[in-house]
Amino acid sequence: MSDAALDREFRIPPPPPGAEVPEPLPEPGRDEIRLEAVMAALSDPLRIGVVRKLLLESVDFDHTCTWFGLERPKSSLTHHFRTLREAGLVRQRQYGPSRRNQVRIADLKARFPGLLALIADWTPAE
Amino acid sequence: MSDAALDREFRIPPPPPGAEVPEPLPEPGRDEIRLEAVMAALSDPLRIGVVRKLLLESVDFDHTCTWFGLERPKSSLTHHFRTLREAGLVRQRQYGPSRRNQVRIADLKARFPGLLALIADWTPAE
DNA sequence: CAAGTAGTACGAGAGAATTCGTACCAGTGG
DNA sequence: CCACTGGTACGAATTCTCTCGTACTACTTG
């Protein structure tokens, strides 16, 4: 699937008007994102599956870690989502007690055109 | 260095005419290449640099491991080139005593469109 | 045959990732 | 206040990866 198709079909709506959007947690700037780090983050099936699910099913603004239905201990999920954030793939914001995730679509499209399409087309091994 | 050694050093052997091309070493078939494995292989700067150099500077022929000018022990290079081959990124053929490498351009274009462009655009960290 | 070349395989040490238990903390809703 | 939810931080065990030395093999050249 092309980046343009992703734009048309799976665009993440803006936050609701008047809602307070917390600042993102620390993350690399757009120009600091390294392809090696992105590749390393995506080399784990759980993590590339998370990014893909966010791309394809993010009908709402963003999602908590538990929304993904991953059957892992919470401390493991913390590790994987931090890995994705530090690589520059997802942005995390703290909404009260929960932490919500979204793919950095604009940054990734600008920096690595075609990458999101590869992720969206990924399927887990049988 | 002997004259013969000088000859070998600077001669790029022509592509073997016709049927003299050895069979590739064991590698995953086109449809067996996994994106996770490709990402893992490319997450090492040395390896993504090798693939990039092959893409940009050796469209016609394939090249030995030492052609890359990497200042690592031979056993380290064996490890990295095997990783690339087992991930499905490069094809290796045995020409006499030396082993030559090519990017699997057709397979990767078909399976992961856009990936090769990402690799070609990569630059090492400063 | 002997020397040189281009690799391999094995194995060990160091370091990084992964997994996960445990303890803990911040909001939210009785 | 108390329990619950949705996380974090730390640390340990395990596993994986990277690096590299050593010894070895295969082929080519003189």
Side-chain angles (χ1 to χ4, degrees):
Chain A
M1 185 183 301
S2 70
D3 282 355
L6 279 173
D7 265 357
R8 285 193 301 275
E9 302 188 27
F10 302 109
R11 182 184 59 244
I12 292 183
E20 286 188 20
V21 179
E23 282 301 298
L25 273 66
E27 64 183 23
R30 171 182 290 191
D31 294 335
E32 294 169 342
I33 302 176
R34 296 289 312 164
L35 185 57
E36 313 92 283
V38 167
M39 296 285 193
L42 295 175
S43 68
D44 185 292
L46 184 143
R47 289 195 294 256
I48 194 174
V50 161
V51 178
R52 175 173 177 268
K53 190 177 173 79
L54 270 178
L55 279 178
L56 299 183
E57 301 180 30
S58 271
V59 288
D60 291 327
F61 175 45
D62 44 9
H63 291 280
T64 65
C65 296
T66 51
W67 171 78
F68 298 87
L70 300 165
E71 309 218 334
R72 302 289 181 95
K74 294 185 293 181
S75 51
S76 295
L77 296 183
T78 296
H79 162 69
H80 287 296
F81 279 90
R82 183 177 54 221
T83 300
L84 288 172
R85 173 170 52 86
E86 291 177 348
L89 281 157
V90 307
R91 174 163 293 149
Q92 294 186 293
R93 287 189 167 92
Q94 194 81 35
Y95 286 85
S98 67
R99 189 166 286 196
R100 288 169 180 275
N101 304 275
Q102 56 181 160
V103 181
R104 294 175 62 176
I105 293 181
D107 290 334
L108 294 168
K109 279 185 52 194
R111 194 114 163 79
F112 307 117
L115 176 68
L116 295 183
L118 291 177
I119 300 170
D121 284 345
W122 178 81
T123 51
E126 69 284 346
Chain B
M1 188 181 288
S2 69
D3 287 345
L6 278 172
D7 276 351
R8 284 191 298 277
E9 177 79 11
F10 295 105
R11 183 188 58 194
I12 297 183
E20 296 182 19
V21 178
E23 282 303 296
L25 274 64
E27 64 183 21
R30 171 181 290 190
D31 295 335
E32 294 168 342
I33 301 177
R34 296 289 314 164
L35 185 57
E36 314 93 282
V38 167
M39 298 285 193
L42 295 175
S43 68
D44 185 291
L46 183 141
R47 289 194 296 254
I48 194 173
V50 160
V51 177
R52 175 174 177 269
K53 191 177 172 77
L54 271 178
L55 276 178
L56 299 183
E57 302 181 29
S58 77
V59 180
D60 297 333
F61 309 149
D62 42 1
H63 289 279
T64 66
C65 298
T66 51
W67 171 79
F68 297 87
L70 300 165
E71 308 219 335
R72 303 290 181 94
K74 293 185 293 180
S75 52
S76 296
L77 297 183
T78 295
H79 162 69
H80 288 297
F81 280 91
R82 184 178 51 222
T83 300
L84 288 171
R85 173 170 51 87
E86 291 177 348
L89 280 158
V90 308
R91 173 163 294 148
Q92 294 186 293
R93 288 190 167 92
Q94 195 81 35
Y95 287 85
S98 67
R99 187 167 288 195
R100 290 167 180 274
N101 303 274
Q102 298 176 283
V103 182
R104 293 175 62 176
I105 293 181
D107 290 334
L108 294 168
K109 274 187 179 171
R111 192 114 164 80
F112 307 118
L115 176 68
L116 294 183
L118 291 177
I119 300 170
D121 285 344
W122 177 82
T123 50
E126 69 283 345

